[in-house]
Amino acid sequence: MFKQHFFTLSNGNKIPAPSTIGTGSIYFKSNEEDYNPSLTQFLERSLKELKGVIHIDGADCYKTYPETGDALKKNFKEGWKKREEIWYTDKFDSKGGRSPSPKAHINKALEKLDLEYVDLYLIHHPHVEKSLNLDIVDVWNEFIELQKEGKVKNIGVSNFSVKDIENLVEKTGVKPVVNQIEWNPFLFNQSPGIYKYCQENDILIEAYGPLSPLVNYLKGTDTSSEGAAFKSYLDELAKKYGVTNTVVLLAYTISMNVLPVTTSTKFERIQDAQNFVNDHPDLKLTKEEVERITQLGLKHDASRRYKSWTDHYTEYESQSQKI
Ligand SMILES: NC(=O)c1ccc[n+]([C@@H]2O[C@H](COP(=O)([O-])OP(=O)(O)OC[C@H]3O[C@@H](n4cnc5c(N)ncnc54)[C@H](OP(=O)(O)O)[C@@H]3O)[C@@H](O)[C@H]2O)c1
């Protein structure tokens, strides 16, 4: 029987996992006018046919509000999912003059999405556009106000280091409930010590790039023997549990207390992720299996998708694969 998995955030709210529809990366566009009907159709089909709570990951810079807004409107018109059966995450990004302030941005986003609130609002990265008269603490203070106003139900950050988070907490006394970072067994620490810090401080890590170890291998961009050994163990477990190796990796991520944020252009893959992670009675990786996946991952070099978030990433490499 289908049983939706939820993580409990530090404020007691429950967040559905996995997030199966990321509207960035493969759907990323440079402007909203380049409408992508395949994304609208994909979202509509997911809202209509998938079981459980649909967790959509969005952001200002993905430029996918028109498609998401159209799909949400159709959903409510057709009565497929109720508002509480949809989780929508949005992100604020001031870089390149994208948005002057979190408040200005969220008001516009809500209008485009035709929603009264978003479930989670994240600061996309710790950099604030220099020409704006704001620093990162001002941004966080606006987030806190927006939560009080009810326009955003939960507030968090993305691509933040330990220092970045400590700065916000020290200046405002308010801890983010989520830190969305690049995370998978080939990149345990996007920045030094971030996995352990978030676990110890009850900040839920959301992983983007959760499938990179498999995707890079399949694409042929990872030709290492460690990559092959990793995939081969996932295949062994997939056979044992009667699921795909993708599902094993997503189940592993959840076992590590990390919420995977994945996406696909193929409905069957999304369905597989949504259904099997939530609906497979036998899919309980043992402690030993989880540990073996971790150990195989640690043998692989740190593998990072975006190298330019911060100047420090090269320095971090030697610390990225320590947990
Ligand atoms: N906060 C941030 O800075 C940030 C950065 C990047 C991404 N994100 C978010 O994270 C979301 C997830 O993106 P991601 O690229 O990181 O996710 P991912 O799950 O690591 O990778 C997605 C890729 O995996 C492929 N894939 C999915 N299922 C597969 C399967 N069963 N077998 C083989 N390949 C499979 C997809 O290709 P197919 O289409 O061929 O299935 C797609 O190219 C984005 O959409 C965005 O919302 C956030």
Side-chain angles (χ1 to χ4, degrees):
M1 207 182 81
F2 186 92
K3 192 169 181 292
Q4 179 72 51
H5 184 84
F6 291 94
F7 285 98
T8 304
L9 299 170
S10 61
N11 61 10
N13 292 338
K14 290 194 182 306
I15 181 169
S19 168
T20 43
I21 313 183
T23 61
S25 58
I26 47 175
Y27 292 111
F28 183 94
K29 303 181 283 156
S30 303
N31 61 68
E32 289 188 355
E33 286 69 40
D34 291 335
Y35 193 86
N36 177 359
S38 319
L39 174 58
T40 315
Q41 283 160 17
F42 195 78
L43 282 160
E44 285 175 3
R45 185 167 179 203
S46 303
L47 288 160
K48 187 176 174 190
E49 294 182 28
L50 290 182
K51 292 185 218 160
V53 185
I54 309 301
H55 184 150
I56 304 170
D57 187 77
D60 185 12
C61 71
Y62 303 162
K63 301 294 176 213
T64 43
Y65 292 135
E67 294 86 348
T68 311
D70 283 353
L72 289 172
K73 272 180 225 155
K74 178 103 178 252
N75 169 75
F76 293 122
K77 190 166 160 250
E78 299 290 336
W80 294 326
K81 293 272 176 204
K82 297 190 192 98
R83 177 63 185 90
E84 59 274 22
E85 293 170 310
I86 299 168
W87 178 283
Y88 184 81
T89 295
D90 197 23
K91 307 187 197 83
F92 168 76
D93 179 3
S94 65
K95 271 301 215 195
R98 280 180 180 128
S99 291
S101 74
K103 282 190 181 178
H105 168 254
I106 202 70
N107 287 331
K108 262 201 218 158
L110 290 175
E111 206 183 303
K112 288 177 189 171
L113 295 165
D114 204 19
L115 292 178
E116 283 173 12
Y117 65 88
V118 299
D119 298 275
L120 176 64
Y121 195 28
L122 305 177
I123 306 180
H124 207 141
H125 50 73
H127 314 292
V128 183
E129 177 65 34
K130 283 205 177 68
S131 60
L132 293 177
N133 218 3
L134 286 174
D135 69 16
I136 197 73
V137 177
D138 298 326
V139 169
W140 190 235
N141 273 321
E142 271 197 38
F143 268 59
I144 296 166
E145 281 173 36
L146 282 167
Q147 190 181 23
K148 284 185 189 143
E149 289 170 22
K151 290 193 174 166
V152 307
K153 297 289 182 199
N154 300 283
I155 53 175
V157 295
S158 177
N159 300 299
F160 270 48
S161 67
V162 172
K163 243 169 64 188
D164 295 325
I165 296 175
E166 280 177 346
N167 178 42
L168 293 189
V169 178
E170 194 188 305
K171 306 270 174 48
T172 67
V174 179
K175 189 171 74 170
V177 293
V178 158
N179 187 16
Q180 185 180 113
I181 56 175
E182 186 175 1
W183 190 92
N184 60 59
F186 297 171
L187 190 72
F188 277 98
N189 285 296
Q190 183 190 47
S191 53
I194 194 67
Y195 176 78
K196 188 162 180 270
Y197 174 85
C198 287
Q199 297 296 337
E200 286 177 356
N201 288 278
D202 201 8
I203 296 169
L204 179 68
I205 295 180
E206 288 190 348
Y208 68 81
L211 301 181
S212 292
L214 279 176
V215 175
N216 293 344
Y217 183 85
L218 294 173
K219 274 200 226 149
T221 47
D222 181 355
T223 52
S224 67
S225 55
E226 293 84 1
F230 183 85
K231 179 178 174 291
S232 152
Y233 186 53
L234 290 195
D235 287 343
E236 189 185 315
L237 293 178
K239 201 165 166 207
K240 170 176 171 187
Y241 290 106
V243 297
T244 60
N245 53 16
T246 313
V247 165
V248 173
L249 191 49
L250 295 174
Y252 165 79
T253 309
I254 291 175
S255 298
M256 293 295 283
N257 201 30
V258 171
L259 187 154
V261 181
T262 181
T263 196
S264 175
T265 49
K266 298 172 184 73
F267 183 73
E268 295 64 31
R269 287 179 173 177
I270 292 298
Q271 197 172 33
D272 185 40
Q274 175 87 3
N275 288 356
F276 274 88
V277 173
N278 287 299
D279 190 19
H280 206 283
D282 306 324
L283 184 61
K284 292 218 168 36
L285 300 178
T286 65
K287 258 191 188 161
E288 292 71 28
E289 288 163 348
V290 169
E291 181 56 22
R292 175 107 191 265
I293 295 174
T294 299
Q295 289 310 323
L296 287 169
L298 290 174
K299 286 194 181 136
H300 194 281
D301 287 344
S303 158
R304 191 186 294 276
R305 190 186 309 174
Y306 304 109
K307 305 215 188 257
S308 57
W309 278 117
T310 145
D311 300 339
H312 304 297
Y313 273 176
T314 351
E315 287 169 39
Y316 294 169
E317 287 310 302
S318 62
Q319 301 167 68
S320 297
Q321 285 295 70
K322 287 185 186 148
I323 56 166

